Amino acid sequence: EPARVVHHAEAAGDAELLVAQAMLAARQASSVSAHREASSHYGRVVPLLRLVPPDHHAGILEAASHEAYAVGDADAALELALRALDEDRRAGDAAGVGSIMVT
């Protein structure tokens, strides 16, 4: 159960395990519309993006943005969407830049 592992990895200070399991837990939570939980898990991952391959940063930030929006945190949603946009621009990903909705 990824959410349980996240708790233990966080307590143990195992950042790599935390990131891997928090990503799984966030996707699971999102898939059942548990947006607050998903947002919480992404909130653990975003500060540790350095542990994730750069080509995944924009996708993670965009997913975190969607979850922040779903829980009513428009400021965080906008900030995360703009960061995702910057990542796509840096990577030269025109399709990624075009897919991010910032309104």
Side-chain angles (χ1 to χ4, degrees):
E1 189 173 318
R4 183 175 296 197
V5 175
V6 167
H7 170 75
H8 292 290
E10 191 168 44
D14 187 337
E16 290 181 10
L17 181 61
L18 171 69
V19 167
Q21 293 299 301
M23 288 299 305
L24 292 172
R27 288 186 199 114
Q28 283 181 347
S30 182
S31 74
V32 295
S33 298
H35 300 295
R36 196 160 303 284
E37 184 173 344
S39 182
S40 176
H41 288 302
Y42 281 120
R44 289 175 175 89
V45 173
V46 169
L48 300 171
L49 278 179
R50 70 186 184 285
L51 301 175
V52 177
D55 59 327
H56 294 289
H57 289 189
I60 292 168
L61 291 165
E62 189 173 2
S65 174
H66 286 287
E67 296 304 330
Y69 183 79
V71 299
D73 191 347
D75 291 337
L78 178 60
E79 177 192 336
L80 290 161
L82 291 172
R83 286 182 62 189
L85 185 61
D86 286 343
E87 289 289 337
D88 281 334
R89 283 184 177 142
R90 234 186 317 275
D93 183 357
V97 168
S99 74
I100 296 176
M101 299 289 293
V102 180
T103 56

